[in-house]
Amino acid sequence: MKRLSHVIGFAVLMSNAAVGQPATSSPNYPAPGHAFQFDFGRFAFKNEYSADGKQMTFTRLSDGRTGTVNYTVIEVRPKVFWNYWVETDGTSVARVEDHDSRTAHAMVHFPDGRVVNLSGTFRRPRLRPP
């Protein structure tokens, strides 16, 4: 767990350095072209990934807040990905996703200096019939 904290901390630093950088995605990352729902207890988000692997639109399910960001993904090991981005208000998010266990750990660094650590699960949302 300590190693994971260091990885996430480094991700936040890299997220801050990534402002204005082009988005990149690992070719093995399964998200492009799909949506995933992340559940962190009090906080739940729907993330919709563009098919080109460069942008993600997030929606906070509690209040409908939404935004579109460029993201960067690095494959840490098979089926484990480090995903990070910077939101338009300056909030930096770094998340480690394990696609075998469907668990996620995130560190959110707000512009006012607050830092929130989150752990939870994720899944592909069920499609609603037409």
Side-chain angles (χ1 to χ4, degrees):
M1 187 64 171
K2 187 175 182 179
R3 181 172 164 18
L4 180 60
S5 295
H6 289 144
V7 168
I8 292 175
F10 182 70
V12 169
L13 293 174
M14 292 301 295
S15 296
N16 288 330
V19 175
Q21 297 298 314
T24 60
S25 184
S26 166
N28 296 325
Y29 190 49
H34 300 287
F36 287 87
Q37 184 170 321
F38 289 83
D39 184 356
F40 295 108
R42 308 184 328 180
F43 302 103
F45 301 88
K46 180 179 178 184
N47 292 172
E48 297 174 90
Y49 296 85
S50 62
D52 65 6
K54 294 182 179 182
Q55 291 191 319
M56 180 263 297
T57 299
F58 63 86
T59 303
R60 187 167 50 201
L61 299 180
S62 63
D63 63 6
R65 178 181 175 263
T66 188
T68 299
V69 296
N70 292 330
Y71 67 91
T72 298
V73 170
I74 297 169
E75 189 168 11
V76 178
R77 66 173 173 80
K79 296 188 179 182
V80 176
F81 299 90
W82 168 23
N83 186 354
Y84 61 92
W85 64 89
V86 178
E87 298 175 6
T88 56
D89 68 356
T91 299
S92 297
V93 179
R95 184 173 66 209
V96 175
E97 306 166 10
D98 184 327
H99 284 258
D100 273 337
S101 67
R102 297 288 185 176
T103 56
H105 304 278
M107 180 180 282
V108 182
H109 187 265
F110 295 96
D112 66 6
R114 290 178 299 129
V115 176
V116 175
N117 296 302
L118 304 169
S119 291
T121 61
F122 64 94
R123 64 180 173 81
R124 295 272 308 271
R126 291 191 178 132
L127 298 176
R128 295 183 184 163

